[in-house]
Each structure stands twice: as C-alpha cells, then as structure tokens.
Amino acid sequence: AISKKAGMIPLQMELGGKDACIVLDDADLELAAANIVKGSFSYSGQRCTAVKVVLVIESVADILVKKIIAKMSKFTVGAPEDDCDITAVVSE
C-alpha cells in the first residue's frame, strides 16, 4: 500500500546486537549528536541498550564527530552525590 507508493524497499540489517545508531546525510546533526551521547552514556553506559556503534554517512561524519566531542567534553566524572555525568554504578 503506502510502502509501494513511496518506493520503500524492505531491509533487514543484522548488527550483532551492538545497538547501532544510523545517521544519514539529511539528519539533524545536533539532535543526532545529542541522542548518540545520551544513548551511549546514560546510566554511565552500563545498560544493555547503550549505543555502541554509530553508522554515519561519510559526508557528514566529521561534523557529527565534532558535535559529539563538544558534548562529551562537558561531561564531569566522579561520585553520584557530586551530581556528575559519569559515575560508578557500584561502589564496592
């Protein structure tokens, strides 16, 4: 129905359970960078669904990497009670 009219092609990708984020060249790169960082580091990255692989179109890869680095450079690392971004999940 709609997929035939839109010319959509069914596609299944096996990514090995690596929780990939796919970024195309028409993506909002600021939004993509924010979601990649959030998806990678929420709960200090200690969750099974954390983003582990980013597949990005080469023409926007350098821009995306710069945006991700800019966001990550603002992270603080330390104890949870210090309201840090990256903390230990287990203390013992």
Side-chain angles (χ1 to χ4, degrees):
I2 293 174
S3 63
K4 288 182 181 178
K5 289 181 181 181
M8 298 173 77
I9 300 170
L11 174 69
Q12 179 177 349
M13 295 176 64
E14 171 50 53
L15 301 172
K18 294 298 180 192
D19 304 301
C21 180
I22 301 171
V23 182
L24 302 179
D25 56 358
D26 63 346
D28 176 336
L29 297 182
E30 194 65 39
L31 180 62
N35 283 306
I36 289 166
V37 170
K38 181 179 178 182
S40 299
F41 293 100
S42 62
Y43 296 99
S44 294
Q46 298 297 311
R47 56 190 182 98
C48 62
T49 58
V51 172
K52 298 170 194 73
V53 174
V54 177
L55 304 173
V56 59
I57 299 296
E58 190 173 357
S59 62
V60 296
D62 290 340
I63 299 166
L64 181 65
V65 168
K66 287 177 184 175
K67 290 181 180 297
I68 291 170
I69 290 171
K71 292 183 182 310
M72 290 177 57
S73 68
K74 297 176 186 172
F75 277 3
T76 55
V77 179
E81 55 269 14
D82 295 333
D83 197 30
C84 294
D85 299 301
I86 304 293
T87 64
V89 178
V90 178
S91 61
E92 295 180 17

